[in-house]
Amino acid sequence: MKDKILKKAAEKFLTLGVKNVTMDEIAADLGISKKTIYTHFSTKIKLIEATTYHVYENMEKGIKEIGNRDLNAIEEHYVIKDFALSCLKDENSSPQFQLQKYYPKIYSEINKKQKSLMENMLRKNLERGMKQGFYREDIPVNFLCRIYFIQMLGIKDRELFPETEFSTSQLVENQLEYHLRAIVTEKGLETLKSYIHNND
């Protein structure tokens, strides 16, 4: 039952935002009493914290599994992008900013974990891409690991990128292509164009 609660809470939090979902709504969707939820999570904050880590751990596991597959560096980026979007259910910015505003301690801890995960993933991808000849050998790896994370946070700012103009999937797609075009070799550019064309 605990896993079912986490799964349902994640679905609702990602869709509606952590502040907008009540324990009663989660209980009603699961067909259980609110008391049953409190048996596993003593407060809503405890449920939010557990759900946040649940989503992160699923994403971490999936990204590591993708990294162990025999993909070229460019394809790996796109597979990870698609996986992340499926995990986050094409989320808007509301869950992230509500977490940051109302639950800053949880946000800070998960942000550190996300940063570490993304830097590790990107560093391995950059090294793989250089070895495969898809990325330039002179790229500043440390800089790129950090600027990529900043970009991913930045595109979630809905004041800069209003939902009426940009969908989440469009923003992530554009940001990834922007990142790759800055670092690819001629061989990498041809592979990138081919991948975009075949998956358009």
Side-chain angles (χ1 to χ4, degrees):
M1 179 53 70
K2 187 175 182 179
D3 286 342
K4 287 183 179 179
I5 294 170
L6 284 172
K7 187 176 179 181
K8 177 55 68 176
E11 178 186 310
K12 295 190 77 67
F13 290 155
L14 287 171
T15 305
L16 302 171
V18 292
K19 196 69 176 175
N20 302 329
V21 179
T22 67
M23 300 290 259
D24 286 312
E25 290 168 336
I26 295 169
D29 279 11
L30 288 168
I32 60 175
S33 69
K34 188 165 62 172
K35 185 178 179 181
T36 302
I37 297 179
Y38 284 121
T39 301
H40 299 282
F41 306 99
S42 58
T43 65
K44 184 181 177 183
I45 292 177
K46 292 287 187 185
L47 176 59
I48 290 169
E49 183 177 35
T51 304
T52 301
Y53 280 95
H54 171 73
V55 171
Y56 168 80
E57 286 162 7
N58 283 342
M59 189 168 298
E60 180 184 41
K61 180 183 176 184
I63 288 174
K64 286 181 177 178
E65 287 175 353
I66 293 168
N68 290 331
R69 290 163 58 181
D70 188 25
L71 303 173
N72 73 56
I74 291 173
E75 183 181 10
E76 179 184 75
H77 251 307
Y78 278 95
V79 173
I80 288 174
K81 184 250 320 171
D82 291 340
F83 169 73
L85 284 174
S86 71
C87 282
L88 299 175
K89 303 184 186 303
D90 199 22
E91 71 160 83
N92 56 38
S93 59
S94 176
Q96 174 188 314
F97 286 107
Q98 285 190 11
L99 199 65
Q100 186 176 12
K101 182 176 181 179
Y102 299 108
Y103 308 97
K105 185 177 179 182
I106 298 172
Y107 174 82
S108 177
E109 288 302 313
I110 206 66
N111 196 51
K112 288 176 188 174
K113 286 183 172 291
Q114 287 176 332
K115 182 174 181 289
S116 176
L117 174 64
M118 194 171 292
E119 282 193 9
N120 187 48
M121 178 275 292
L122 189 60
R123 187 177 300 279
K124 289 180 179 178
N125 180 272
L126 292 172
E127 290 170 353
R128 177 184 294 185
M130 285 188 284
K131 286 179 181 177
Q132 294 172 336
F134 293 116
Y135 302 157
R136 301 192 323 268
E137 292 184 358
D138 62 343
I139 56 176
V141 173
N142 289 334
F143 169 78
L144 285 170
C145 287
R146 288 164 176 77
I147 201 70
Y148 188 85
F149 185 71
I150 291 171
Q151 288 174 352
M152 290 303 293
L153 291 178
I155 62 174
K156 292 188 177 185
D157 186 334
R158 284 307 188 176
E159 289 186 8
L160 285 173
F161 302 102
E163 289 178 77
T164 52
E165 296 179 45
F166 305 94
S167 69
T168 299
S169 57
Q170 179 189 357
L171 284 169
V172 174
E173 186 81 23
N174 290 347
Q175 185 272 331
L176 179 53
E177 184 178 348
Y178 179 84
H179 162 74
L180 290 171
R181 282 182 178 272
I183 63 173
V184 291
T185 58
E186 288 186 20
K187 173 186 174 182
L189 183 58
E190 289 306 309
T191 301
L192 175 61
K193 287 179 178 178
S194 177
Y195 193 88
I196 291 172
H197 175 74
N198 293 332
N199 293 275
D200 198 2

